[in-house]
Amino acid sequence: MSTELREPPLMRADNRLPGTPTKTKKRRAYSATGSSKEMWLLLLPALIPVVVLSVYPLVQGILLGFTDAAAGYNRPVNFNGIDNYTELLGNDLFWQSFRVGLIWAFSVTILQFLASMGLALLLNMNLRFRGVARVLALVPWAIPPVIIAIIWRLMLNPTAGPVNSTLAALGLPSDINWLGDPTFALPAAIVVGIWAGMPQTTVTLLAGLQNVPSDLHEAAALDGAGAFRRFRSVTIPSLLPIIFAITTLDFVWNFNQFALVYVLTAGGPGGQTMLPMLFAYNEAFKYGNFGYASAMGNVMVLIIAALLVFYLRRQAKERQS
């Protein structure tokens, strides 16, 4: 039998065996748990309004789209499955409004981007009174959409508006009913939408232009590149992430536009400016078909969600590359 004696394990300076959990580790675990609880307690004042005012109405709206809810005193609400959606598939007026909405959103987004890029390039130049010009460029951003629509209704008035008065002074046709003629109503609304949405796009692009390294422009100039070539080869590639982000967000905002077009034309004349949001609003509050209108809203939410998923995936790929 071996009589070899084993040496006792080495003791630490604090008289603990190796591997014994320390009070410091316990304190860290406790502090991590405590900080997590404190974090949620601090977030509650911000989360409660979001849940009550955004998440809960959204969930209620989604559920309402699967019911036959309609206006009426003590009218029972029954679950009708996908009946609203099958009826929606055959509603030509809704898909007509959807087509108008796409025309509106794409036109306003693209033209707004082009105008905002030109204005941002101008405001980025070292011009006199540049600060005043930048402040003036933000004026439409400070005006509510309803007020913007009222101002433009007055300007586009066929008899007393300054637009037709200016055309008359130039010897051009001046009897155009801009918001009442089916030919001109949508183009006129698009112009108003461009003017109303330019400030945020201009500010975003201007911030991007100021972050483009000047060394790249100087190197391109030394290589003999002109202003247009520098803009195409240096400025645009540097702004691509910002351009993609702002145009995607602008499209979502424009597709969901309601107040501006509602005050301008209320969807007329003849449905030429009837955006999907206006169509769903009329279905709910003019005809009282709440369930059917909620189904329309759900379809639009799915489309917007698909656009956002596409945007987020594109952003993730750009970050990985």
Side-chain angles (χ1 to χ4, degrees):
M1 177 177 243
S2 174
T3 58
E4 181 182 355
L5 297 175
R6 296 183 179 179
E7 295 183 0
L10 295 176
M11 303 295 289
R12 295 171 62 100
D14 52 0
N15 296 327
R16 290 183 296 99
L17 293 175
T20 305
T22 65
K23 292 182 179 180
T24 305
K25 290 182 180 179
K26 292 180 180 179
R27 287 197 196 98
R28 286 178 182 172
Y30 176 78
S31 63
T33 306
S35 63
S36 178
K37 291 180 180 178
E38 291 174 358
M39 178 188 70
W40 283 109
L41 288 174
L42 292 173
L43 284 176
L44 274 179
L47 287 176
I48 291 175
V50 171
V51 172
V52 174
L53 301 177
S54 296
V55 177
Y56 178 74
L58 177 63
V59 173
Q60 284 290 98
I62 292 173
L63 296 177
L64 200 63
F66 296 92
T67 67
D68 61 352
Y73 181 70
N74 285 338
R75 189 181 186 281
V77 177
N78 302 310
F79 177 79
N80 63 358
I82 61 172
D83 289 350
N84 292 330
Y85 298 93
T86 54
E87 183 180 350
L88 191 60
L89 289 175
N91 191 335
D92 295 335
L93 293 177
F94 174 75
W95 297 113
Q96 169 68 16
S97 73
F98 199 84
R99 183 184 68 84
V100 172
L102 290 178
I103 294 173
W104 156 272
F106 276 111
S107 300
V108 173
T109 301
I110 294 172
L111 297 175
Q112 183 175 284
F113 165 74
L114 295 176
S116 299
M117 176 61 79
L119 183 57
L121 290 171
L122 184 64
L123 295 176
N124 194 46
M125 298 173 66
N126 191 15
L127 300 176
R128 196 175 181 184
F129 303 114
R130 183 176 61 175
V132 177
R134 288 180 176 178
V135 172
L136 292 176
L138 292 176
V139 168
W141 205 352
I143 305 176
V146 174
I147 304 301
I148 291 175
I150 293 173
I151 292 172
W152 276 93
R153 278 183 66 92
L154 295 174
M155 293 179 62
L156 297 173
N157 188 282
T159 57
V163 174
N164 278 354
S165 299
T166 304
L167 293 176
L170 296 173
L172 299 173
S174 58
D175 57 347
I176 302 173
N177 188 357
W178 293 101
L179 300 176
D181 191 322
T183 305
F184 297 103
L186 184 58
I190 288 172
V191 170
V192 178
I194 294 169
W195 186 86
M198 273 184 62
Q200 62 264 33
T201 308
T202 301
V203 169
T204 304
L205 294 175
L206 180 60
L209 287 172
Q210 292 178 340
N211 288 323
V212 176
S214 58
D215 298 342
L216 297 178
H217 284 283
E218 293 173 1
L222 290 175
D223 291 339
F228 179 75
R229 187 176 176 186
R230 292 199 304 271
F231 175 75
R232 185 186 63 184
S233 303
V234 177
T235 304
I236 292 297
S238 301
L239 291 179
L240 274 180
I242 295 176
I243 291 173
F244 184 77
I246 192 61
T247 51
T248 302
L249 294 176
D250 280 345
F251 181 84
V252 172
W253 291 330
N254 291 325
F255 188 79
N256 286 326
Q257 185 60 254
F258 173 79
L260 186 70
V261 181
Y262 181 77
V263 177
L264 270 177
T265 62
Q272 293 299 311
T273 60
M274 182 65 72
L275 304 184
M277 292 296 292
L278 291 176
F279 193 91
Y281 173 84
N282 288 337
E283 196 67 37
F285 298 103
K286 189 175 181 180
Y287 305 113
N289 298 322
F290 300 129
Y292 191 46
S294 296
M296 296 179 187
N298 292 342
V299 171
M300 287 184 280
V301 166
L302 288 176
I303 294 169
I304 298 302
L307 290 174
L308 290 177
V309 168
F310 173 74
Y311 164 69
L312 293 174
R313 285 185 177 179
R314 177 70 179 268
Q315 289 292 94
K317 288 181 181 179
E318 288 182 354
R319 290 175 183 174
Q320 290 176 358
S321 60

